Amino acid sequence: MKQRDLNANELEDLQQSLLKWFKEHQRKLPWRENYEPYQVWISEIMLQQTQVKTMLPFYRRWMEALPGIREVAEADEELLIKLWEGLGYYRRVRNIRKTAEMICNEYGGQFPEQVAELLKLPGIGRYTAGAIASIAFNQPAPILDGNVTRVLCRVRKIEDPPQLGDVGKELWRLAEAWIPKEEARNFNQALMELGATVCLPSSPNCLLCPIRQHCLAFELGKVEAIPASKPGKVPRQRFRACAVIRYNNKMLFSKRLENSLLEGLWEFPSVESDTKKKLKGTLEEHLERNYGIKVTLGKEIHQLEHRYTNFKTRVGFYPAALEVAGKETKETTSWVEIPKIEDLALPRPYRRFMEWYLEQSSE
């Protein structure tokens, strides 16, 4: 589905108009101060499926604790996960550590500049490799995130869903063909910035767009309809029951196992099922079998919903108090003093519950 290319004059006008706009309107972001590769890399990983305004506090916290790549390679995993808490997709933070170790051990602490080398690093795919190569090193490598996809589809009036294979290939081709010589850094960022601040998914500010004269969707009044959305699957419903077990001023937590969702984070002992039926009883059996704790859990005291990529979970919390603490039989089980729970890396539903729980306890 190759589109008619812009002619040389049209392309040069688009490039220069966009670069001029970016120079005047770009946001002041910390990694743009000197385009240090480590900072660009961390910003790009954090920005995956997250908006700039949301990730900035996480970015600043991370850089304050880990100002360089060697600090990441040498950091304790608990610290990395805690710093990442709230961003989700925790496999990314483990890949960050693997990449940091690989760069320090095999590349002398220096990021490779070429896409082919960057693609060898854990957790770095085609988009992230292109972003690092172009933004950190000004290499003429294309990028294609959601913002760039939207801009390209509208400018060239690509009406098919971008998730389709042929459409994706065409978008990558355009993203590469449009890069002006010696200006990959600014041009790629300009495309992303335009999509993030002007060419919005809904109610785009077309009259503020520096390249609207080249936009076929604008010309034909089809901006709101492009790009087309691919019908999504209805998320599967799951149910989770959590045991809120107290002994004096401590609560029982367990650590998620390796190769599981949210691996390495701490949580209340819990069980999950496709149905809520008998889930509380199953949790009581789970506590006795795996923790050596025989209790009758109380009535559900709180419930919340949480959405993951492919499913959503309804989480219920059931209390119990012990007169004698159970034993910490594994490294993945710990009695934690309530004031110190905030230091644990918790999944978002459990963090939200603790905020509610402590608020109720203080009343």
Side-chain angles (χ1 to χ4, degrees):
M1 60 154 296
K2 185 176 178 179
Q3 302 291 115
R4 179 189 72 82
D5 286 330
L6 296 167
N7 64 44
N9 290 334
E10 290 172 330
L11 180 56
E12 183 178 4
D13 184 70
L14 180 147
Q15 292 168 335
Q16 294 308 313
S17 297
L18 193 53
L19 288 169
K20 181 176 182 294
W21 172 84
F22 181 68
K23 184 177 181 180
E24 296 173 355
H25 297 281
Q26 64 176 294
R27 291 169 291 181
K28 292 184 178 180
L29 300 174
W31 53 90
R32 286 178 177 169
E33 293 178 6
N34 54 23
Y35 293 110
E36 202 279 321
Y38 165 65
Q39 295 180 3
V40 171
W41 168 52
I42 295 298
S43 73
E44 287 299 331
I45 300 297
M46 286 187 171
L47 279 170
Q48 292 174 12
Q49 297 182 308
T50 307
Q51 294 182 336
V52 169
K53 65 180 180 180
T54 302
M55 65 79 75
L56 276 174
F58 295 95
Y59 175 87
R60 293 191 176 105
R61 181 177 70 180
W62 180 283
M63 287 300 162
E64 183 177 346
L66 305 167
I69 196 165
R70 291 195 179 276
E71 285 85 350
V72 178
E74 296 170 0
D76 182 78
E77 184 176 285
E78 289 281 345
L79 172 62
L80 296 179
I81 293 175
K82 180 62 181 176
L83 290 171
W84 198 263
E85 182 187 346
L87 285 170
Y89 303 95
Y90 288 88
R91 188 171 300 277
R92 292 175 185 167
V93 75
R94 293 184 178 83
N95 283 331
I96 284 176
R97 184 178 187 179
K98 292 176 183 177
T99 289
E101 292 174 343
M102 190 170 175
I103 288 175
C104 289
N105 295 333
E106 300 181 25
Y107 292 89
Q110 301 297 315
F111 255 93
E113 298 185 16
Q114 303 299 324
V115 168
E117 288 297 312
L118 288 165
L119 286 171
K120 297 177 182 179
L121 301 173
I124 294 183
R126 187 176 182 183
Y127 163 75
T128 305
I132 295 170
S134 63
I135 297 172
F137 300 108
N138 204 27
Q139 296 287 333
I143 58 171
L144 194 66
D145 68 352
N147 289 320
V148 175
T149 293
R150 188 164 54 256
V151 172
L152 296 180
C153 284
R154 286 173 173 170
V155 171
R156 303 310 297 152
K157 197 179 76 67
I158 298 175
E159 299 183 81
D160 294 326
Q163 297 88 350
L164 298 179
D166 288 347
V167 179
K169 291 178 182 178
E170 173 63 8
L171 292 171
W172 276 108
R173 188 190 70 79
L174 289 173
E176 184 170 17
W178 286 10
I179 297 174
K181 290 183 179 180
E182 310 301 330
E183 288 282 6
R185 169 184 291 152
N186 289 331
F187 186 78
N188 280 350
Q189 288 187 101
L191 281 175
M192 290 192 290
E193 195 88 339
L194 189 70
T197 63
V198 175
C199 193
L200 303 170
S202 60
S203 301
N205 300 311
C206 294
L207 295 181
L208 300 179
C209 179
I211 58 173
R212 66 179 181 274
Q213 68 271 26
H214 300 288
C215 182
L216 295 178
F218 177 72
E219 179 183 334
L220 299 172
K222 291 191 172 184
V223 173
E224 292 278 6
I226 296 175
S229 299
K230 186 178 181 181
K233 295 181 180 179
V234 176
R236 182 165 54 102
Q237 178 68 63
R238 299 281 289 170
F239 298 88
R240 179 173 286 268
C242 300
V244 183
I245 302 177
R246 288 191 62 165
Y247 168 68
N248 291 338
N249 199 38
K250 296 180 179 181
M251 283 184 166
L252 182 63
F253 285 88
S254 63
K255 197 172 187 180
R256 286 280 180 108
L257 300 176
E258 292 184 8
N259 300 318
S260 65
L261 182 67
L262 307 179
E263 171 191 343
L265 273 70
W266 292 88
E267 65 177 354
F268 296 103
S270 59
V271 293
E272 190 171 79
S273 174
D274 288 328
T275 175
K276 192 177 180 181
K277 188 178 181 180
K278 297 183 180 180
L279 198 56
K280 179 182 172 183
T282 301
L283 178 56
E284 291 172 341
E285 295 172 2
H286 173 73
L287 290 170
E288 183 175 4
R289 182 173 62 253
N290 294 289
Y291 296 87
I293 297 173
K294 189 171 184 177
V295 295
T296 299
L297 297 171
K299 293 182 179 179
E300 183 181 81
I301 58 171
H302 193 60
Q303 184 182 101
L304 52 82
E305 299 271 356
H306 190 69
R307 175 73 182 267
Y308 295 93
T309 304
N310 299 317
F311 66 96
K312 57 183 179 179
T313 302
R314 183 173 298 148
V315 188
F317 297 87
Y318 300 86
L322 297 181
E323 295 183 2
V324 179
K327 295 181 180 180
E328 298 177 5
T329 56
K330 307 173 185 176
E331 293 182 2
T332 55
T333 304
S334 181
W335 287 96
V336 183
E337 293 180 5
I338 290 178
K340 295 183 179 180
I341 291 174
E342 66 179 26
D343 297 329
L344 293 181
L346 300 177
R348 191 171 299 173
Y350 305 111
R351 180 65 65 198
R352 287 163 55 196
F353 168 78
M354 282 307 304
E355 292 170 356
W356 174 87
Y357 184 85
L358 293 175
E359 183 178 330
Q360 298 298 310
S361 300
S362 64
E363 293 180 354

